Amino acid sequence: MGRRGKKKGRPISGWVVLDKPVGMGSTEAVSKIKWLFQAEKAGHAGTLDPLASGMLPIALGEATKTVPYVQDGAKIYRFTVAWGQERSTDDLEGPVTKSSDLRPAEAEIKALLAKYTGVIMQTPPQFSAIKIAGERAYDLAREGETVDIPAREIEIGRLDIIEHHADDTVFEVECGKGTYVRSLARDMGRDLGCFGHISNLRRVEVEPFTPEDFVTIAELEAARFGAQGEDKPQSADDADAIEVPVDFGAIDALLVDTSAALDCLPQIAISDDAATKIRLGNPVIIRGRDAPVEAEEACATARGKLVAIGAIEQGMFKPKRVFAG
């Protein structure tokens, strides 16, 4: 007997701006979304730890080509630092490694914030996805190894105190790519002499998306399965044995357009004929009084639909990455 072929998904494209719940890993979330949409392809724009909640932008189909632009966007986190303990993972997951009876006053914390604002050097946590000699740091840490992770440059736009209590402080930070909030908690705790770790972490925004774009797993399931209610399948394995009516209209309506990830680029409107040429990999002359003559990267659209990302040189658009029509 021949082997059963693997089911091919739908060629659906767009962004799911998921409000990821605590306890769900980023890879698990991507798999769930890919299954709900029955998508051919899916990926996320920046890992969010299982103990963290909030914005996890997930790209479907052609939107996966725009993931780097979202990864490079600024991020906003709301987080709580519990004072008095440092943990191996710098959050609630790991055991306590250092402790103190000291607790910082709000004035002490405020005096420290300038040190953590602007371009600074930061050492990622031992339990992180950083590669050391080809292996993930968290794999080495789980084996009991202490690894030397080099500090790297990050940028923090702002770091504000939202609430202060005797044993913990709530902060909000706006930061660039590569920032570890767990490292902020660890380093502030050490500077204050009382130690600290993350007890709550929520990603509020990932540029260019905002909280208005949020959608939950429950909302997606309701859109996908409608009146099935409690009879809906709970996983892809369950779905194999259940007849589910196929109507993707409601769930597809919850997608954010692929082009939203490219708001940071100059937008060039082109004709249908020019779009056809570009999709074949050919350059086209850019017309229009306001069209830029030079741009390292720009986004070409036809009838509001994304066509390509490319460079503009001497008034000509040269495609680098083309999107299906």
Side-chain angles (χ1 to χ4, degrees), residues 10-14 40-41 60-66 257-259 262 275-276 278-281 300-302 304-309 321-325:
R10 299 189 301 141
I12 185 70
S13 295
E40 281 183 334
K41 189 190 302 183
L60 302 181
E62 292 287 277
T64 57
K65 297 176 181 178
T66 67
D257 194 77
T258 298
S259 61
L262 303 175
T276 299
I278 286 173
R279 287 195 171 105
L280 292 173
T301 62
K305 292 294 184 181
L306 182 60
V307 176
I309 299 169
R321 180 156 284 186
V322 175
F323 296 81

Side-chain angles (χ1 to χ4, degrees), residues 236-247:
D237 292 336
D238 294 342
D240 289 339
I242 298 175
E243 289 293 328
V244 181
V246 180
D247 180 5

Side-chain angles (χ1 to χ4, degrees), residues 250-271:
I251 193 170
D252 288 353
L254 298 175
L255 285 171
V256 176
D257 194 77
T258 298
S259 61
L262 303 175
D263 284 349
C264 57
L265 300 181
Q267 307 290 308
I268 309 297
I270 60 174
S271 67

